[in-house]
Amino acid sequence: QVQLVESGGGLVQAGGSLRLSCAISRNIGSLAAMGWYRQAPGNQRALVATITSSGISNYADSVKGRFTISRDSAKNTVDLQMNSLKPEDTAVYYCKYSPYGLTMEPFYWGQGTQVTVSS
């Protein structure tokens, strides 16, 4: 059973920073893609950032230039550095692990971590 454990969420003022981390319970493998998604109340879960096995990253337009995704294959972790946070970034953030690439199942999800940005 693959487990993903997120950490680093919390309450921060607008303009502040947070760093989210996701630890995967097994060797992530050479083909794995990782990602962060978020879901605000009343909204669908939406992509924040992804990173492929070769290190290619992709970001939602709303976070470009403010957020940075990184992965450490040796530690089986994926992080999300969030700077210049805005109240609209408030959501539950979920880590996603895809052992065989971005679009190939299976997909594994963490339990989510709350990020709240106050104005």
Side-chain angles (χ1 to χ4, degrees), residues 84-98:
S84 302
L85 282 160
K86 304 175 181 180
E88 51 264 44
D89 294 318
T90 295
V92 178
Y93 283 70
Y94 297 90
C95 174
K96 179 183 179 183
Y97 164 54
S98 311

Side-chain angles (χ1 to χ4, degrees), residues 18-42:
L18 283 174
R19 188 176 183 89
L20 305 183
S21 185
C22 175
I24 297 91
S25 63
R26 73 176 196 190
N27 187 312
I28 62 175
S30 61
L31 301 177
M34 317 290 292
W36 286 95
Y37 294 69
R38 66 188 181 187
Q39 187 168 16

